[in-house]
Amino acid sequence: MSSTTPLLDVSGLTKHFPIKGGFPIRRTVGHVQAVDGLDFQVNESESLGLVGESGCGKSTTGRLITRLLEPTAGKISYQGKDITHASRKDLAPVRSEIQMIFQDPYASLNPRHTVGKIIAGPMEINDINPAGGREKRVRELLEIVGLNPEHYNRFPHEFSGGQRQRIGVARALALDPKLIVADEPVSALLQKVQQELGIAFLFIAHDLAVVRHFSQRVAVMYLGKIVEIADRDDLYGNPRHPYTRALLSAVPEATVDETPPRERIRLQGDVPSPINPPSGCRFRTRCWKATEKCATEAPPLVQVEGNKPGHLTACHYPETAEVASAPRLAKDPEPAA
Ligand SMILES: Nc1ncnc2c1ncn2[C@@H]1O[C@H](COP(=O)(O)OP(=O)(O)O)[C@@H](O)[C@H]1O
Ligand code: SF4
Ligand SMILES: [Mg+2]
């Protein structure tokens, strides 16, 4: 693998869940457009944050990448190898390198198994025999995640919620993964894990405050699409998409250094249904600068003028620095640049 090949390369990734209806014959009456044409990369040892409101498709994205779900369209490459539709057998070597940490770790821990057995499970399944034996490795892993190695024989219910998260992390680490998809984890421990073990992360969160301290790059999702992606400093310092700006205005610490302070942008209305998303730009029903063009043309995710390389924005009328510091109400009309 050349050093320029990203660890994970996703293009056009799409998942439409069929909606079944009708009686007596159930047929597909529509689709939930949960994920609709994502393009992004994750480099080795890097953390990419994936942020957006509930229901925008973050978990579905994570489950597609870890191959728990079959994509409707698009391509997933891992270390330059196409794994989009890889069979279980083809996937075996890769599966151990890509691990997922779930939102609710307790649900994925077998209550009748000891912590030692739970963490050693992936090693047994994949027939991995570390030097010194599995038990020794499990004790090391417990230590890495800050749990007492002596608690090897305890059961999940004997641990607190935070400790159970750590058990989930230890189990994910048991196979020396290169990429971890972490779906809204609470644990601050992951930062240490990423830095010390050099593991790449797709770090899923619902607000921008959480990923700020963890991810070198951040992608913002809205209704199944990435609306903006950039290096952390570019995204927080120069947000160009109105939705990113609205999310950022809700993060208190992001506004601390600004004079005059950034006006809190209150988005009007709810997120529309992914079954029948708005035409053109999906954000237009809540955007204070939407025009006719926004209703007819979907804005491509591109490096708009003024963006640094790698900073991509999907908006016909991207925000500018001057607009950022000008206090305004969400309903103020904006000149269409
Ligand atoms: N198995 C499924 N069948 C049908 N719809 C689903 C399924 N999984 C998720 N969805 C829908 O897809 C959309 C995105 O969900 P999800 O990926 O869980 O979003 P997030 O993690 O950002 O909250 C939601 O509208 C959700 O209801
Ligand atoms: S394309 Fe139009 S509706 Fe969409 S975010 Fe930009 S200005 Fe708003
Ligand atoms: Mg989710």
Side-chain angles (χ1 to χ4, degrees):
M1 188 182 93
S2 89
S3 59
T4 54
T5 310
L7 184 66
L8 181 77
D9 192 349
V10 167
S11 64
L13 189 63
T14 300
K15 182 69 188 181
H16 291 178
F17 294 105
I19 305 162
K20 302 283 182 190
F23 182 83
I25 300 160
R26 285 172 67 74
R27 57 198 169 83
T28 301
V29 293
H31 287 93
V32 180
Q33 301 182 25
V35 169
D36 204 49
L38 302 189
D39 298 317
F40 67 85
Q41 288 85 35
V42 182
N43 296 312
E44 221 154 307
S45 307
E46 172 193 55
S47 166
L48 174 70
L50 190 63
V51 175
E53 284 163 283
S54 179
C56 73
K58 304 179 300 292
S59 295
T60 302
T61 304
R63 297 168 74 85
L64 287 167
I65 288 163
T66 47
R67 297 286 282 101
L68 294 168
L69 282 174
E70 191 67 18
T72 308
K75 187 173 167 185
I76 305 168
S77 297
Y78 178 76
Q79 293 186 319
K81 185 172 176 265
D82 186 348
I83 60 161
T84 320
H85 303 289
S87 67
R88 262 197 111 71
K89 189 163 156 274
D90 290 343
L91 212 57
V94 172
R95 206 179 266 275
S96 65
E97 292 185 12
I98 308 177
Q99 291 294 314
M100 184 144 178
I101 296 173
F102 292 95
Q103 215 159 352
D104 176 9
Y106 196 46
S108 65
L109 303 178
N110 188 329
R112 281 180 301 246
H113 287 173
T114 64
V115 161
K117 189 169 167 61
I118 287 169
I119 298 172
M123 293 189 246
E124 275 166 35
I125 291 166
N126 291 276
D127 198 24
I128 287 170
N129 298 289
R134 287 183 190 145
E135 181 170 334
K136 177 163 169 281
R137 180 65 183 143
V138 169
R139 288 177 193 273
E140 284 169 8
L141 288 166
L142 284 169
E143 204 138 17
I144 288 171
V145 300
L147 293 173
N148 186 345
E150 300 307 313
H151 293 169
Y152 185 92
N153 279 317
R154 296 202 178 176
F155 292 88
H157 73 263
E158 297 178 74
F159 293 86
S160 70
Q163 287 173 324
R164 283 177 207 145
Q165 280 245 332
R166 289 166 187 263
I167 297 167
V169 174
R171 182 177 53 182
L173 293 176
L175 297 174
D176 285 326
K178 286 203 165 68
L179 174 68
I180 292 181
V181 175
D183 195 351
E184 305 205 28
V186 210
S187 185
L189 150 90
L190 291 178
Q191 195 154 1
K192 172 177 164 253
V193 166
Q194 194 222 346
Q195 283 161 0
E196 289 178 9
L197 305 181
I199 299 169
F201 271 84
L202 181 69
F203 191 96
I204 295 171
H206 65 269
D207 78 60
L208 280 165
V210 179
V211 294
R212 183 167 213 187
H213 303 289
F214 188 79
S215 297
Q216 292 89 46
R217 280 194 308 130
V218 177
V220 176
M221 274 185 88
Y222 187 80
L223 261 184
K225 292 195 181 283
I226 292 177
V227 296
E228 187 155 29
I229 182 166
D231 285 353
R232 168 178 35 203
D233 293 346
D234 295 331
L235 192 99
Y236 290 83
N238 186 26
R240 305 300 304 280
H241 197 283
Y243 181 60
T244 310
R245 183 140 288 160
L247 285 184
L248 265 180
S249 79
V251 176
E253 65 176 316
T255 62
V256 168
D257 308 332
E258 284 184 34
T259 40
R262 191 181 281 166
E263 180 99 343
R264 169 100 196 236
I265 301 167
R266 288 183 197 283
L267 290 176
Q268 312 286 314
D270 294 329
V271 183
S273 161
I275 297 169
N276 192 10
S279 63
C281 175
R282 291 188 173 185
F283 185 56
R284 71 177 167 82
T285 55
R286 299 169 85 197
C287 184
W288 56 93
K289 22 202 282 196
T291 67
E292 189 52 36
K293 183 179 180 179
C294 305
T296 52
E297 281 177 45
L301 184 65
V302 293
Q303 187 183 337
V304 298
E305 204 183 322
N307 279 5
K308 292 200 181 133
H311 182 173
L312 310 179
T313 309
C315 176
H316 294 309
Y317 311 112
E319 300 274 287
T320 61
E322 302 82 72
V323 175
S325 55
R328 58 130 189 274
L329 295 167
K331 278 187 194 149
D332 275 1
E334 290 270 351

